[in-house]
């Protein structure tokens, strides 16, 4: 049996080598599909781990009160985009002040909008930069670390992210530099250190954002604080619930019983972002699946051509006693080799591409051994499945008819 399998394998490799161009094209089709799936799995696992870690970290210590009567499927980008600024913001500056008092200064508002900024001479301009109006408590509550300088106060000073500092001023050390925002001149009083995890569960990228006092931000929003959310933190779940209850009591009084706000706690904070990633991953998986299907059809085509070209060989083998099972096995091994090599190459390329992408993404793609087994094993199975029909066609050939070719 072992000798027979070795013989089949040798015959299969010789056949594939004799038609190198067609073999390489078939392998390429499988390789593209497997590489795509590998990249998708690495990105999905990486983002799932990111949101899982964030959720575990804030599950008992963090709550968000957001504008609007229902939790909407906000994405990672929605709160820091123009869409967030355009939606109706039901939280007010008075709400933020009263909630801060009721929670012992354990609350900070976030009034977010996007606009263009520049250096005073206008030589460097950045479009659609995220601007966050907040209070001095934000640094502690959102675990923001200063690289240099101090955090915002009631003056016109601003704090900027490290990457924004590089993009606008060409250096990480921009303390004391001046920027222009809608005609207003603002001085940099602090530069944030790069966040450990990005994007933030607050929906903003602090590394590329400007933080300024809430009172100052009103100058750019028709003298009205456009507060999308209020961050509340506590040391434990019991204390957090007490602060949430206090905040709800304040809002019930301020809004005269109108519940035009909603509260998010624990996994509910990161869930919308996870839904977004899952939806994108599903769409990408469909595309990769189509690519694999095309690759499988390519295997079927090359094997059918191979059967037609080797019809006389099949006839000779059957004439000297080869069974239909033997003929099927030989052609299945050929298609399995194509699938296996395509799977291995695809996984290696996908692995390299994933970590190359990781250099430009705010999270690290993750690949576990199960992904390797799934992708390479799946490629092998696809190769065999799409080789069944050509193999059965070869086995069904009449020996006498085959010998005439």
């Amino acid at each position: 049996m072992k000798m027979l399998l070795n013989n089949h394998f040798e015959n299969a490799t010789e056949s594939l080598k004799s038609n190198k161009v067609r073999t390489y094209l078939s392998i390429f089709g499988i390789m593209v599909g497997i590489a795509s799936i590998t990249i998708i799995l690495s990105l999905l696992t990486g983002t799932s781990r990111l949101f899982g870690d964030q959720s575990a970290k804030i599950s008992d210590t963090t709550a968000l009160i957001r504008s609007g009567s229902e939790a909407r499927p906000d994405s990672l980008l929605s709160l820091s985009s123009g869409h967030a600024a355009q939606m109706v913001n039901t939280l007010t500056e008075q709400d933020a002040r009263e909630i801060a008092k009721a929670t012992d200064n354990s609350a900070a508002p976030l009034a977010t909008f996007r606009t263009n900024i520049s250096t005073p001479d206008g030589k460097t301009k950045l479009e659609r930069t995220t601007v966050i109006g907040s209070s001095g408590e934000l640094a502690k509550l959102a675990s923001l670390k200063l690289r240099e300088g101090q955090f915002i106060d009631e003056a016109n000073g601003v704090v900027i992210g490290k990457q924004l500092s590089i993009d606008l001023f060409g250096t990480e050390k921009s303390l004391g530099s001046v920027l222009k925002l809608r005609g207003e001149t603002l001085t940099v009083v602090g530069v944030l250190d790069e966040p450990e995890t990005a994007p933030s569960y607050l929906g903003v990228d602090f590394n590329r954002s400007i933080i300024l006092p809430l009172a100052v931000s009103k100058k750019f929003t028709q003298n009205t604080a456009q507060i999308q959310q209020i961050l509340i933190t506590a040391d434990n779940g019991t204390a957090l619930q007490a602060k949430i209850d206090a905040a709800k009591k304040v809002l019930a009084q301020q809004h005269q019983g109108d519940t035009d706000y909603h509260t998010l706690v624990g996994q509910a904070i990161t869930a919308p972002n996870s839904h977004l990633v899952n939806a994108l991953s599903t769409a990408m998986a469909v595309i990769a699946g189509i690519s694999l299907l095309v690759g499988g059809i390519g295997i079927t085509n090359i094997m059918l051509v191979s059967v037609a070209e080797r019809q006389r060989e099949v006839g000779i083998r059957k004439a000297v006693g080869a069974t239909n099972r033997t003929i099927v096995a030989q052609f299945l091994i050929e298609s399995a080799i194509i699938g296996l090599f395509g799977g291995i190459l695809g996984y290696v390329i996908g692995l390299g591409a994933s970590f190359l992408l990781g250099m430009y993404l705010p999270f690290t793609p993750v690949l576990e051994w199960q992904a390797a087994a799934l992708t390479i094993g799946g490629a092998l199975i696809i190769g065999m499945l799409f080789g069944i029909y050509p193999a059965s066609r070869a086995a069904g050939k009449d020996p006498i008819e085959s010998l005439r070719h």
Side-chain angles (χ1 to χ4, degrees):
M1 182 66 179
K2 184 177 179 181
M3 185 178 297
L4 183 61
L5 286 174
N6 288 337
N7 185 44
H8 285 331
F9 185 78
E10 290 174 2
N11 289 336
T13 52
E14 287 298 323
S15 175
L16 294 173
K17 286 179 182 178
S18 65
N19 297 285
K20 291 182 179 179
V21 175
R22 287 197 306 237
T23 301
Y24 291 154
L25 289 174
S26 296
I27 290 175
F28 180 78
I30 296 294
M31 181 186 72
V32 170
I34 293 299
S36 301
I37 290 176
T38 301
I39 293 172
I40 291 169
L41 288 174
S42 69
L43 296 180
L44 181 60
T45 306
T47 52
S48 297
R49 184 168 294 183
L50 169 67
F51 294 134
D53 291 344
Q54 285 188 352
S55 180
K57 186 177 181 180
I58 66 176
S59 60
D60 294 326
T61 60
T62 304
L64 291 178
I65 299 176
R66 285 184 177 167
S67 293
S69 57
E70 295 180 0
R72 288 181 290 273
D74 295 321
S75 71
L76 281 174
L77 302 177
S78 65
L79 289 173
S80 58
S81 67
H83 170 73
Q86 293 166 7
M87 70 182 185
V88 177
N89 299 310
T90 56
L91 297 173
T92 67
E93 187 177 6
Q94 182 66 22
D95 293 338
R97 279 197 297 264
E98 294 300 323
I99 289 175
K101 290 179 183 178
T103 58
D104 298 324
N105 291 323
S106 296
L110 283 90
T112 309
F113 63 93
R114 281 194 170 190
T115 189
N116 300 336
I117 63 171
S118 68
T119 51
D121 57 13
K123 290 184 178 180
T124 304
K125 297 180 180 179
L126 298 179
E127 296 182 351
R128 294 182 58 77
T129 301
T130 301
V131 181
I132 306 164
S134 189
S135 63
E137 286 76 25
L138 181 64
K140 178 183 177 182
L141 302 184
S143 300
L144 301 177
K145 297 179 180 178
L146 281 167
R147 186 178 186 85
E148 60 178 351
Q150 63 184 37
F151 205 65
I152 56 173
D153 53 26
E154 296 304 317
N156 278 13
V158 299
V159 172
I160 63 176
K162 173 186 171 184
Q163 189 58 51
L164 181 63
S165 175
I166 295 172
D167 294 340
L168 187 62
F169 300 110
T171 177
E172 301 173 2
K173 300 182 179 298
S174 57
L175 194 64
S177 299
V178 176
L179 60 86
K180 292 199 73 173
L181 193 161
R182 293 185 182 176
E184 291 284 337
T185 300
L186 301 170
T187 303
V188 177
V189 298
V191 179
L192 293 176
D193 212 347
E194 190 168 350
E196 294 180 2
T197 58
S200 167
Y201 61 87
L202 292 169
V204 292
D205 183 1
F206 287 107
N207 202 29
R208 291 176 170 83
S209 298
I210 297 174
I211 305 174
L212 42 72
L214 186 64
V216 177
S217 72
K218 290 163 56 179
K219 295 180 181 180
F220 311 106
T221 54
Q222 299 178 336
N223 207 34
T224 302
Q226 306 254 348
I227 300 174
Q228 291 87 27
Q229 55 187 336
I230 298 175
L231 170 65
I232 300 174
T233 65
D235 295 331
N236 53 65
T238 303
L240 180 64
Q241 189 57 53
K243 291 180 180 181
I244 292 173
D245 293 340
K248 286 183 176 180
K249 185 177 179 180
V250 167
L251 291 173
Q253 295 173 348
Q254 292 289 326
H255 293 231
Q256 298 179 345
D258 187 5
T259 54
D260 51 359
Y261 56 88
H262 60 278
T263 305
L264 300 176
V265 182
Q267 291 185 349
I269 295 175
T270 58
N273 303 326
S274 300
H275 295 332
L276 172 68
V277 171
N278 290 338
L280 291 174
S281 298
T282 300
M284 293 170 66
V286 170
I287 296 172
I290 293 172
S291 177
L292 269 181
L293 178 62
V294 172
I297 293 172
I299 290 178
T300 300
N301 287 335
I302 191 176
M303 294 306 297
L304 286 173
V305 172
S306 180
V307 169
E309 290 180 346
R310 295 160 61 192
Q311 193 168 344
R312 182 175 177 80
E313 175 193 332
V314 171
I316 293 173
R317 296 193 67 182
K318 296 189 77 171
V320 296
T323 62
N324 287 344
R325 180 179 294 180
T326 302
I327 301 298
V328 168
Q330 180 178 343
F331 283 94
L332 277 182
I333 288 174
E334 290 183 24
S335 62
I337 290 174
I338 292 174
L340 182 62
F341 272 86
I344 293 173
L345 289 174
Y347 179 77
V348 172
I349 291 173
L351 181 66
S354 296
F355 288 99
L356 184 63
L357 284 171
M359 297 171 62
Y360 304 95
L361 293 173
F363 62 90
T364 303
V366 177
L367 274 173
E368 300 174 340
W369 68 267
Q370 293 93 333
L374 177 65
T375 52
I376 297 175
L380 179 62
I381 292 172
I382 287 172
M384 296 183 69
L385 284 177
F386 281 88
I388 289 175
Y389 176 66
S392 62
R393 282 283 300 271
K397 295 287 184 181
D398 181 80
I400 297 176
E401 289 293 327
S402 297
L403 288 170
R404 290 178 180 174
H405 288 268

